[in-house]
Amino acid sequence: MNQSDKVIISCAVTGAIHTPSMTPYLPITPDEIAASAIAAAEAGAAILHLHARNPETGQPDQTVEAFAGFLPRIKQATDAVINITTGGSPYMTVAERAKPAAHWQPEVASLNMGSMNFGFFPLLSKYKDFKYDWERAHLEGSRDLVFRNSFQDIEYVLETCYGNDTRFEFECYDISHLYNLAHFADRGLVKPPFFVQSVFGLLGGIGTHPEDVMHMKRTADRLFGKDFRWSVLGAGANQFRIATQAVAMGANIRVGLEDSIWIARGQLAESNAAQVLRAKAIIEGLGLSVATPEEAREMLSLKGGDRVNF
Ligand code: KMH
Ligand code: ZN
């Protein structure tokens, strides 16, 4: 693993898992997404991972137009690296999911490195009433949901975005996803430095035990050596415990309301910025420092904030 004393904080601003009834603080409209992303950058996030939502209902919206309401504003207000999802919602096809990144040509796009069960139906036990009809179906439907990322799907995203010099946040939810990434590296379809985003605690992927974190790092070290920059995200209540363990081991970290709506046990995070500030405190408490967007660009060999299509 390539590491430095500078730690990249990514912030995943809204995502496609949590629904409006779970927390009043989830950014939904373009104005809310823009404001929350800008505040997260001001708090120290060097990379902003962005999804879009229907402003009326909060449903995930992966249309190209849905991103137009906030991309230019975020770019104008911050120097942060914009990372557009190709994950969209796990219910969407890869062709739908890849459209925004292909069109807007961001410096970074996420790329999910394997198919998996993607279960967020356990959240149903916590919420009884929903503002919108789609929310319950969204959660219930994940009981029978496969988040499809076949080798052909991954090739499709690579072919669709690579010509734009977009580089990838390789989302790895389990050990096999690291081997899938190594497969594409062996074929020369992805070039180092690899930005490996290890996802812990999403039902259907690897767990959240410290041994799980060690095993993910050990395997990535063996497969990629100095060719990768490790980042971690802990889903839900595990977010900061996993971040703390991994930063101490040389990782970068991802926080944000996409991955967890909490700031502490039983306490809702009132903003993305609050989670970023908590991450910053962990980093600085270890005697490390938060990477600037320019430092992140250097570490990840990114094309530069002006070489985008927004
Ligand atoms: N919500 C994360 C666990 C993507 O956008 O490509 C997964 C994610 C997928 O961020
Ligand atoms: Zn995402």
Side-chain angles (χ1 to χ4, degrees):
M1 169 181 76
N2 198 337
Q3 71 180 86
S4 77
D5 287 351
K6 295 281 185 182
V7 181
I8 299 169
I9 300 176
S10 292
C11 181
V13 170
T14 187
I17 295 173
H18 296 118
T19 68
S21 301
M22 295 176 183
T23 169
Y25 306 112
L26 190 67
I28 301 293
T29 67
D31 287 355
E32 290 167 348
I33 291 171
S36 192
I38 292 164
E42 287 167 354
I47 299 178
L48 299 168
H49 172 86
L50 297 168
H51 291 241
R53 289 185 182 248
N54 178 313
E56 274 75 49
T57 67
Q59 278 171 286
D61 184 341
Q62 196 67 5
T63 59
V64 167
E65 303 68 41
F67 288 74
F70 51 79
L71 287 178
R73 290 160 58 186
I74 296 170
K75 179 186 175 201
Q76 188 191 9
T78 78
D79 183 33
V81 174
I82 302 293
N83 166 357
I84 294 178
T85 178
T86 68
S89 159
Y91 292 98
M92 297 174 183
T93 65
V94 70
E96 286 173 275
R97 292 165 28 197
K99 282 201 177 93
H103 175 82
W104 297 112
Q105 303 175 20
E107 291 188 85
V108 178
S110 61
L111 180 48
N112 295 274
M113 293 311 297
S115 301
M116 61 187 284
N117 293 342
F118 208 85
F120 34 95
F121 59 88
L123 288 168
L124 280 166
S125 64
K126 291 189 178 164
Y127 303 96
K128 294 303 170 218
D129 304 313
F130 293 98
K131 285 182 204 157
Y132 304 100
D133 291 346
W134 71 270
E135 293 181 86
R136 184 180 298 281
H138 178 75
L139 297 180
E140 188 55 54
S142 73
R143 203 182 289 274
D144 190 30
L145 173 63
V146 175
F147 183 30
R148 181 190 149 124
N149 295 288
S150 68
F151 290 107
Q152 182 175 290
D153 292 340
I154 295 169
E155 288 166 357
Y156 177 83
V157 175
L158 289 173
E159 286 151 16
T160 309
C161 298
Y162 229 80
N164 306 324
D165 287 333
T166 292
R167 294 184 63 75
F168 293 95
E169 174 196 31
F170 296 105
E171 310 247 3
C172 296
Y173 303 72
D174 214 333
I175 298 300
S176 60
H177 296 179
L178 295 173
Y179 283 93
N180 294 349
L181 175 56
H183 163 77
F184 285 101
D186 292 347
R187 288 171 57 186
L189 294 180
V190 292
K191 303 275 190 286
F194 306 125
F195 185 36
V196 174
Q197 186 70 261
S198 310
V199 183
F200 297 93
L202 202 135
L203 183 60
I206 197 167
T208 61
H209 190 282
E211 283 301 317
D212 294 323
V213 179
M214 293 296 294
H215 188 38
M216 189 72 94
K217 179 182 184 299
R218 205 169 22 233
T219 308
D221 276 335
R222 178 163 32 84
L223 290 173
F224 308 119
K226 290 285 181 204
D227 280 346
F228 83 108
R229 293 275 178 172
W230 188 36
S231 186
V232 305
L233 81 86
N238 302 289
Q239 186 177 53
F240 288 109
R241 175 174 62 76
I242 288 200
T244 304
Q245 176 190 355
V247 167
M249 293 162 56
N252 300 284
I253 51 180
R254 173 168 139 170
V255 295
L257 299 178
E258 168 169 347
D259 303 326
S260 171
I261 57 175
W262 308 105
I263 191 74
R265 186 180 298 279
Q267 188 183 346
L268 288 173
E270 297 190 2
S271 66
N272 278 294
Q275 289 189 350
V276 173
L277 288 172
R278 179 66 59 88
K280 185 168 185 271
I282 292 166
I283 290 163
E284 293 178 343
L286 289 167
L288 304 168
S289 54
V290 174
T292 64
E294 272 321 301
E295 288 165 338
R297 289 186 172 97
E298 174 67 30
M299 292 157 77
L300 300 174
S301 303
L302 303 184
K303 63 180 176 178
D306 284 337
R307 291 190 54 220
V308 296
N309 189 27
F310 55 89

